[in-house]
Every structure is written in C-alpha cells, then in structure tokens.
Amino acid sequence: MTPSLFTILLLITLNLSNKIATAATPSPVISGGGQWQLVHHNIGIVGMHMQLLHNDRVIIYDRTNFGYSNISLPNGRCRVNLKERLKTDCTAHSVEYDVASNAVRPLFLQTDVWCSSGAVNPNGTLIQTGGSGRGEFAVRTINPCPTCDWHEFNHGLAAKRWYATTHILPDGRQIIVGGRKEFNYEFYPKKHRMEKITYMLPFLAQTNNPGVENNLYPFVFLNVDGNLFIFANNRAILFDYNNNVVVKTYPSIPGEDPRSFPSTGSAVLLPLRNLQNPSIEAEVLICGGAPKGSYLLSLRGKFMRALNTCARLKITDPNPSWIMETMPLGRVMSDMILLPNGNVLLINGAASGAAGWNIGRDPILHPFLYKPNNVINSRFQLQNPSGIPRMYHSSAILLRDGRVLVAGSNPHEFYNFSNVLFPTELRLETFSPSYLEPQYNDIRPIMVYPAPQSQTRLKYAQTLKIRFQVKGTLAIDSVSVTMLAPSFNTHSFSMNQRLLVLDHVKTANNVVAGKLTSTSTCQVEVAMPCSSNLAPPGYYLLFVVHQEVPSEGVWIQLL
C-alpha cells in the first residue's frame, strides 16, 4: 500500500462519527485507477431506479409523491392525483437518458413507483412492478423506441409489491418475490388477464425481524439447475418455485448480521464458467451491510460502522459453507456491478449508519474493485474517488461502452437542496474502470463481427463466429468472450445481473476469409449456452476480453 492510500484509509476511518462498533483489520489493498466524469449537472429527478435497454437508452425514475421535480413534462401535460398533497403536478418523475447524445427526455408516470422492482422481458420491454400507495398493485411497461412512454396497468399484480425483487425465469416469465408484509411470490405475466394468484413463501416470514424487517429486497439469483437462490436477512435457501418446495437450506452467514434492506449490503452471482461441463459451479458473493441494531440506533442518531466483510458461497456444492473476506473498509448501501472482464465493482455507499431517510453517514467516495479469481487477501483494489456522495437511493449500471453510470442519492421531500446534511442529488456521472485508459488502446479488442449495431438473434447451443482486431500484439491465450445481462438496479441490488464466460470451440489467429491482415485479427468460435437455466431468453451484451481489457459490447438477443 502506498503512503497516500494508507493516509486516505486512515482519515476515512478516523472521521467516522459515533464509533460504537470496532471494524476488523482491513485486508491489504492495492492501488487501482479509474476516472470519473460528470455527464449531467441536473437530470431533473433522483436516480433511484435504473435499467439499460438495448437501444442504449437508460430508463430512470424516482417517486411521484414528494414534490415537483426539476424537469417539466412536455406539451403542458400534467399528472392529476387528488389523493396526494400535490393534486396537480406538471413535472416528470421518470426520464430516458440517451447515452449516445447525452440527452434526457421526460417520461410520464401516473402512479407511484417508489421502491419498486423490474426486469426486461425477452422482447426487450421493461416490465416495472409495484411501488407505493396507489402503485403497489401496478404494472408499468415501456418499450425501447425514440418516442415511447410508460403504459400503466393499475391491477396487474395479485399482492402489494413494495420493496420486492423481480427475477427473469427460464421460460421468459418473471417472478416477483416478497415486499413489505408480503411473505409470498407471484408470476408475471399471468396465465390469463383475471388471474390473481400468490404463493406463500414462509422463509420470508421467518427472516422478518419485527419492527426492523431486514428481509426486504431479497437477493434472488437463478441457479444453474433452474431453482432460485433466495437470500434474506442473513439466511438463504434454494427454492423450487414450480413446486413451491425448499430444496436446500444454506447455513447462515457467520456472525449472523443482516445484509438485506434496511441493513443494506449487496450481492452478485459471480461469472458462470465452463458451460459445457456436466456440472457447472455457481457462486454468490455478498458484501457489506449494517450490523444488528444499526437501523434502530441510526433512527436515534447513533451511527454504527458498516460491516466490512464479504461472504462467498458455492451454492452448487453438496455441503456448502461461507468463506469470509475482509474489505478495506465497511460499506452499507453499496452497489455491486459485474464488469465485462468478470471483475466486480463495489461503488456508492456509506461507512456508517443504515439505509433510510437521512440515517447514513460518512459517504465512501472510493469504489473498490474485487477480482474474484485472485487468491484471498489480494482481491481488492482501491479506485479513484468521486466528489459526489452517493448513499440512500443511489444507483449504478454498466453501459455498453464499459463505463458505469451512477445517479441519485439523498432525496428530500420537495427536492430540498439547502439546510440539509446531504442535499438532493440530481447529477449524473460515469466511472470509467482502468481498462478504458489510453495505455490499453493497443490491446483493446475492436469487434468486427457481429457488427456493433447488428443486434444478432441467436439460439441456444448455437455456435457463433466472432471476429475482432487489436492494434498491438495479440495474446491468443488471454482472449475470452463474455455475455452480460443488463440489470435493473435499485436499493443496492442489481436484479437479473448475470455474466457468462462462453466456451471456445475453435480459434483462428491472424486470418480472416483466408487473407492475412495488417493488424492482429482473430476469429473465435464460441458456443451459446445450451439451456435457459444458464441464460434466460432476452437481450445480452457480448464482449471480447483480451488481457482483461474488454471491447465495446454488442447487443445480441438469445431466444
């Protein structure tokens, strides 16, 4: 560790307020890089929820019931709701961000989407589910087109879905799990329009702490066998949703501190590899959160330090056990973003307190890069800091060009910007991981085929020939091809985030159509996943990775 990094970590640690918990000794941290760029001073709303669509536009929204936003609806359009304090509101609470043009377009929402969930269906339509108040039973959809807007179905759900989690299933449907006081799940779309069916899930009631909950926005991942890994509070199960049966109960995380909202940690399914093997391993990583009692103490103005541990579990092992690791610092309300090269970015969050209105303290401005394939105690790299605190109600997603888009934080009623500790945050910025630095230009792959705008349709088990170039020397043994499902991000959890490392079938170096090329050109033939248990149908970003440096992504549709 360099002296400057040590000083940074020491100062952050010494400045933590109300030190009523002692953090474990941090693991060694390696200096990293990365660059921040402010791309918008004011997008008009707080980026509480974000989803990238396959037209390279990002749908962002906050909530409809806490005041006029900073962006007006077009053509004098207004939202009228006589049951809210603002009976008439002519401002937008959702926007579409066009990555290419850096432009923001206001969108219209009628019912409240606050603390909702979402997923993109196989055709590319964003399905948004639930919310608050009159929006708890609502389903809203938006298609990827230049003029599209939200369509709302007020009674699309069978139960109130506030703080629930959505996951895409192998058949293309979505399962919506939990919500406040909802210890059940349901499917969308329904088999028929009038279907109103929920299925009880006692695990959600068993993990509910009275007065605190700590089981909201459960972490849900599709396992390689088609069952669901569901984590809430500090416990996890493997769940057969077709037969409503718990297949396996996993051990609790050592220490048994909660990791779910409002003791908000984050979780990710690590990259899936060796997809042609008879048995495929799946591993979950859960990092940070707030210790027992932190939420209630934070409401009283006493802020405990966030948890500085990560827990890894091979969920496919017959007798799995958690492996604990220590982060450089504790984090609560962080986001975990899978990068195209298989590394994990931990970004946003605070060093003390809990998730909720004004109860987070000591924002962590430095992201951590986590390299899952390194040996333990050498996996973390400290990245360059932002200048903007990103705590409660912040969000982050990966863009096609490899940058991470970051928005939101600290919303106040009526979008208060003064006389508050952390003002309402409307700025939009990007974090560029170090693989985008100019020093890697010579080894960065440039995709030739499929073409960047092709949006190729592929079938399961199909082989795909990929052609790419690099300006410098090609290290063929350091080439991989990955496909990533863009996530719906809110409340420190990226729903449906999934990265697969595709198996090579054949490689031909320096030859395209039988001709030598002036630059290093390579053709690799890869196999698409053979099962929708591995990759549910829908849109993915395809990347070529060379010496851990990814190309720009290319959209593909797996059907």
Side-chain angles (χ1 to χ4, degrees):
M1 184 187 304
T2 66
S4 61
L5 286 173
F6 177 80
T7 302
I8 290 168
L9 291 174
L10 182 62
L11 287 174
I12 294 174
T13 303
L14 291 177
N15 286 330
L16 291 175
S17 60
N18 298 295
K19 307 176 193 64
I20 57 177
T22 302
T25 303
S27 61
V29 65
I30 302 169
S31 174
Q35 298 297 322
W36 289 87
Q37 181 183 10
L38 183 66
V39 295
H40 250 284
H41 287 278
N42 186 339
I43 62 169
I45 66 169
V46 182
M48 297 183 185
H49 316 74
M50 288 204 295
Q51 172 75 57
L52 174 67
L53 300 181
H54 68 269
N55 60 353
D56 289 328
R57 300 187 183 192
V58 181
I59 303 300
I60 308 173
Y61 57 89
D62 55 15
R63 53 185 291 196
T64 62
N65 66 346
F66 75 149
Y68 302 119
S69 76
N70 276 227
I71 184 169
S72 297
L73 289 164
N75 304 318
R77 191 176 186 184
C78 298
R79 172 180 169 273
V80 177
N81 190 333
L82 300 181
K83 294 185 178 181
E84 293 183 2
R85 283 179 294 175
L86 295 178
K87 310 302 181 187
T88 303
D89 183 357
C90 302
T91 63
H93 294 276
S94 177
V95 299
E96 177 195 74
Y97 172 64
D98 186 335
V99 177
S101 66
N102 199 37
V104 174
R105 179 171 69 95
L107 302 172
F108 182 87
L109 283 169
Q110 177 63 35
T111 55
D112 197 8
V113 288
W114 179 32
C115 302
S116 57
S117 61
V120 176
N121 73 8
N123 293 328
T125 298
L126 173 59
I127 311 293
Q128 185 278 329
T129 45
S132 177
R134 292 178 60 220
E136 289 175 317
F137 289 98
V139 173
R140 306 162 192 86
T141 66
I142 186 167
N143 294 316
C145 82
T147 59
C148 288
D149 211 330
W150 288 101
H151 292 275
E152 302 197 29
F153 309 92
N154 290 334
H155 302 287
L157 300 174
K160 298 178 180 180
R161 301 297 173 192
W162 192 27
Y163 298 90
T165 296
T166 296
H167 202 291
I168 303 168
L169 298 175
D171 62 3
R173 291 181 303 159
Q174 299 175 13
I175 186 170
I176 305 108
V177 180
R180 297 202 73 175
K181 300 180 181 179
E182 294 291 349
F183 309 129
N184 55 65
Y185 62 95
E186 64 181 288
F187 299 99
Y188 190 86
K190 308 299 183 186
K191 291 180 180 178
H192 51 82
R193 187 173 181 180
M194 301 306 294
E195 179 186 21
K196 298 291 182 182
I197 297 176
T198 62
Y199 303 86
M200 295 305 298
L201 183 55
F203 171 74
L204 295 176
Q206 295 160 7
T207 52
N208 180 52
N209 296 143
V212 182
E213 294 172 299
N214 276 331
N215 70 339
L216 300 177
Y217 278 121
F219 304 143
V220 180
F221 299 107
L222 178 65
N223 191 19
V224 295
D225 62 0
N227 295 315
L228 293 176
F229 174 89
I230 303 177
F231 179 97
N233 200 320
N234 54 29
R235 298 168 50 193
I237 58 173
L238 189 63
F239 185 62
D240 179 352
Y241 59 88
N242 284 312
N243 298 300
N244 197 29
V245 173
V246 174
V247 177
K248 180 183 292 186
T249 299
Y250 295 99
S252 299
I253 285 185
E256 301 195 353
D257 282 310
R259 309 279 177 153
S260 304
F261 184 90
S263 297
T264 302
S266 193
V268 68
L269 178 70
L270 292 175
L272 299 175
R273 302 174 183 274
N274 304 312
L275 305 183
Q276 304 298 313
N277 285 4
S279 59
I280 301 169
E281 289 187 347
E283 190 170 11
V284 167
L285 176 70
I286 298 174
C287 289
K292 292 178 182 177
S294 179
Y295 175 70
L296 294 179
L297 285 172
S298 296
L299 293 175
R300 291 158 46 191
K302 297 180 179 180
F303 305 103
M304 298 179 73
R305 291 185 187 176
L307 298 170
N308 68 346
T309 53
C310 292
R312 281 176 69 157
L313 183 71
K314 287 188 178 179
I315 64 176
T316 47
D317 276 6
N319 297 296
S321 60
W322 294 97
I323 297 175
M324 303 303 293
E325 302 181 54
T326 306
M327 295 188 288
L329 285 172
R331 299 184 85 115
V332 62
M333 296 181 286
S334 287
D335 291 286
M336 294 173 70
I337 305 300
L338 282 169
L339 300 180
N341 59 9
N343 293 332
V344 183
L345 187 71
L346 285 79
I347 197 168
N348 301 333
S352 56
W357 301 110
N358 306 311
I359 59 173
R361 292 293 186 274
D362 309 302
I364 297 183
L365 303 178
H366 292 261
F368 299 156
L369 185 69
Y370 179 84
K371 295 192 169 186
N373 295 330
N374 283 12
V375 297
I376 197 167
N377 293 328
S378 67
R379 291 172 174 159
F380 288 100
Q381 288 185 357
L382 191 69
Q383 304 294 287
N384 288 326
S386 169
I388 302 175
R390 300 285 186 179
M391 298 194 292
Y392 187 51
H393 277 316
S394 58
S395 56
I397 58 168
L398 183 79
L399 299 177
R400 185 169 64 87
D401 59 16
R403 294 178 298 162
V404 175
L405 187 70
V406 182
S409 187
N410 304 308
H412 297 274
E413 285 193 309
F414 300 102
Y415 293 77
N416 191 358
F417 301 102
S418 59
N419 300 318
V420 289
L421 182 59
F422 297 107
T424 300
E425 187 54 69
L426 304 184
R427 286 174 289 181
L428 188 69
E429 60 184 336
T430 58
F431 176 75
S432 296
S434 58
Y435 55 59
L436 291 174
E437 294 174 1
Q439 69 193 69
Y440 299 113
N441 284 349
D442 282 353
I443 63 171
R444 181 171 297 113
I446 300 170
M447 194 91 76
V448 177
Y449 181 84
Q453 304 300 325
S454 61
Q455 301 198 358
T456 304
R457 289 188 176 187
L458 298 167
K459 296 180 180 180
Y460 288 94
Q462 179 180 340
T463 58
L464 174 67
K465 293 179 180 178
I466 299 171
R467 295 200 302 269
F468 66 94
Q469 296 180 343
V470 294
K471 295 178 181 178
T473 302
L474 179 67
I476 193 63
D477 293 335
S478 297
V479 172
S480 61
V481 178
T482 62
M483 54 182 282
L484 187 145
S487 59
F488 177 92
N489 179 272
T490 190
H491 287 77
S492 300
F493 184 49
S494 294
M495 303 176 194
N496 305 297
Q497 186 174 220
R498 197 174 192 85
L499 182 75
L500 299 95
V501 181
L502 301 182
D503 291 316
H504 285 202
V505 177
K506 187 187 301 181
T507 302
N509 190 22
N510 293 330
V511 178
V512 174
K515 297 181 179 180
L516 293 176
T517 60
S518 58
T519 58
S520 293
T521 304
C522 187
Q523 178 173 287
V524 293
E525 191 171 338
V526 296
M528 288 294 109
C530 61
S531 167
S532 58
N533 290 342
L534 300 178
Y539 282 89
Y540 290 80
L541 283 169
L542 187 75
F543 297 90
V544 174
V545 181
H546 178 227
Q547 299 184 56
E548 294 199 11
V549 177
S551 66
E552 282 200 353
V554 172
W555 287 106
I556 61 170
Q557 187 181 19
L558 187 61
L559 293 172

